[in-house]
Amino acid sequence: MPDVSAHQQTAASPFIRACRNEPVPHTPVWFMRQAGRSLPEYLKLREGVPMLESCTRPDLITEITLQPVRRHGVDAAVYFSDIVVPLKAIGIDLDIKPGVGPVVADPIRTRQDLARLRDLEPSDVGYVTEAVGLLTAELGATPLIGFTGAPFTLASYLVEGGPSRNHERTKALMYGDPELWLDLLDRLAGIAAVFLKVQIEAGASAVQVFDSWVGALSPADYRRYAMPASAKVFDAVAGYGVPRIHFGVGTGELLGPMSEAGADVMGVDWRVPLDEAARRVGPGKALQGNLDPAVLFAPTPAVEAKAREVLDAAAATGTGHIFNLGHGVLPTTDPDALTRLVDFVHRTTEAA
């Protein structure tokens, strides 16, 4: 059963209220990849600790997740992990190489390879349950966002063997053996769903499904080859009643079909203004985004001007809005720029 007390504590928070299209005292802010990367205190803590090891140590997970909440005053914490963690937990031979990303030693490309993807059991990721419990105790009324990778993106890593610019092997399998492809995504949907359930039941107040690479698909291909598995993930956690967020990169043309997969909140990258995104998504869903992460390298007045454009576009939608970047925090971002941005958004949107 989910940690009801943790969910009750955060129900009135600006972040959860915005996810539910309810009135808020100010626009809530959090940043994708806020936990880590740009923070000197994170880099110091991670010295000598491989990425995947840091994702399995509750003490490190807790401290890294809390660091940006303390420093920036964001309205939500995001669980520190990586989308390949559940794959590693079921025995897939992979590593996260600095400057490269996840690399899979033996890619999955045949029906026989599919047998290596066993079901994820909660006991495989006991460190997640422990870490979320520690975090919710510390965070109190501040929501914790859990997350998973979407089946398409996980499949792409597994098939390509690592990050890919053009997804050649992924699409070759998808078009060449659609039955195997859909079976692969269905298996990954089950794994992703269990990973989300573990986080929610331990106390996460919301979840986000990252489909980082799905922008490589056309709308028709998305509906056929990716959407059914994503919908399975969202359906699996619908009964918990926590807000479900969906985000992908380069997905302006996919906002309509992606919104049909089952999320309550649609994340939007920086390429589409939020008022236009609202038109594509349709009524009833809150929006999250969508300042270009590179804007943070400009002088403060320019950052604030661009942030105001985002806020104005969001105000025109008449729907709930969570301020975020249009992708993750870039590693060389000045942390003080993030702190100033949180303060600017809060001051600018305080209920008059």
Side-chain angles (χ1 to χ4, degrees), residues 4-22:
V4 176
S5 62
H7 297 165
Q8 288 174 336
Q9 275 189 292
T10 61
S13 66
F15 170 76
I16 296 295
R17 291 181 65 85
C19 288
R20 301 194 188 287
N21 286 311
E22 296 172 357

Side-chain angles (χ1 to χ4, degrees), residues 205-231:
S205 295
V207 290
Q208 176 158 310
V209 175
F210 284 90
D211 215 346
S212 308
W213 304 129
V214 79
L217 297 181
S218 69
D221 283 348
Y222 173 80
R223 287 184 186 278
R224 180 177 179 185
Y225 296 114
M227 185 171 147
S230 289

Side-chain angles (χ1 to χ4, degrees), residues 111-174:
R111 176 69 58 180
Q112 289 71 32
D113 292 335
L114 193 60
R116 303 195 335 251
L117 285 180
R118 68 168 175 84
D119 292 342
L120 179 69
E121 302 293 340
S123 58
D124 294 322
V125 287
Y127 47 85
V128 174
T129 299
E130 182 180 346
V132 172
L134 292 170
L135 279 164
T136 54
E138 288 279 340
L139 287 165
T142 300
L144 175 66
I145 304 167
F147 73 90
T148 188
F152 176 85
T153 292
L154 294 176
S156 182
Y157 277 120
L158 288 172
V159 173
E160 299 287 344
S164 172
R165 183 180 298 272
N166 298 308
H167 307 280
E168 297 96 328
R169 291 183 178 277
T170 302
K171 290 186 176 182
L173 177 61
M174 187 175 79

